[in-house]
Amino acid sequence: MFSKSKINEPGPKQAEATPAPAAAPAAPAASDYKSSAPKAKPAASLLSSDLHITGNVKTTGDIQVEGTVEGDIRAHLLTVGETATIKGEVTADDVVINGRIVGRVRGLKVRLTSTARVEGDIIHKTIAIESGAHFEGSVQRQDDPLNPGGRKSAPAAAAAPAAAPAPSAAVQAATKAHKAEG
């Protein structure tokens, strides 16, 4: 059953096996990477305090801004650091604001901490504003705040054409009355 020759064979087998496992893990590593990639959540992208971005930023992941962004941001989770300034529209599932935003904020969950400074409208599903937060703008609750063509746009568009004929009808009536007098 057992022999000394087999005991001595693992040395050469290990030498032979060394190239084989080197090649074998390469293929499974790629397939393991692909299968584990959707399961593992990537780390949040960090825009450091010395970074200044001019342009739009879009990701399906999480992002933490500590620097300055002049443009729109779209993300899953957006954390605005205390040193951050964003000038543009922010759209994310979750928005945590510790710094400054000048522009519209759209989010399912929006949280303004005590150090937050927001100058613009907030469209949300749920909102939390801590004591000490500075906010100038309007707050509007929507079931789907991530959709820019929300339910408030349609009534406004419908109201505008209805309102436009009314002044012209009044002007026509005033014109007819003026002609009748003269």
Side-chain angles (χ1 to χ4, degrees):
M1 293 195 355
F2 297 103
S3 70
K4 288 186 177 184
S5 63
K6 287 185 178 180
I7 293 173
N8 292 335
E9 286 180 6
K13 282 185 180 178
Q14 286 177 351
E16 291 172 8
T18 305
S31 64
D32 288 345
Y33 176 73
K34 289 178 185 174
S35 65
S36 65
K39 295 177 187 175
K41 187 176 178 183
S45 298
L46 175 64
L47 304 180
S48 66
S49 59
D50 64 339
L51 185 63
H52 181 97
I53 294 178
T54 302
N56 299 336
V57 178
K58 184 177 182 182
T59 180
T60 56
D62 301 348
I63 189 167
Q64 180 174 345
V65 179
E66 296 294 337
T68 303
V69 176
E70 292 184 22
D72 299 341
I73 297 179
R74 174 68 174 108
H76 175 269
L77 166 65
L78 173 66
T79 304
V80 181
E82 288 187 28
T83 61
T85 299
I86 298 173
K87 295 181 180 178
E89 183 170 355
V90 168
T91 306
D93 294 340
D94 295 329
V95 184
V96 179
I97 305 169
N98 299 305
R100 183 173 183 224
I101 295 181
V102 179
R104 179 179 290 148
V105 177
R106 292 180 172 276
L108 295 174
K109 291 192 286 184
V110 178
R111 179 176 162 215
L112 279 67
T113 65
S114 60
T115 59
R117 303 287 177 256
V118 178
E119 299 172 28
D121 299 339
I122 298 177
I123 301 169
H124 64 89
K125 188 168 184 179
T126 61
I127 189 167
I129 302 175
E130 292 182 5
S131 178
H134 176 80
F135 170 63
E136 292 182 28
S138 67
V139 179
Q140 182 179 23
R141 187 197 178 283
Q142 285 187 0
D143 290 331
D144 186 14
L146 304 181
N147 183 6
R151 54 190 169 132
K152 294 293 179 179
S153 299
S168 61
V171 169
Q172 289 175 356
T175 306
K176 287 180 183 179
H178 181 68
K179 287 181 181 178
E181 288 177 6

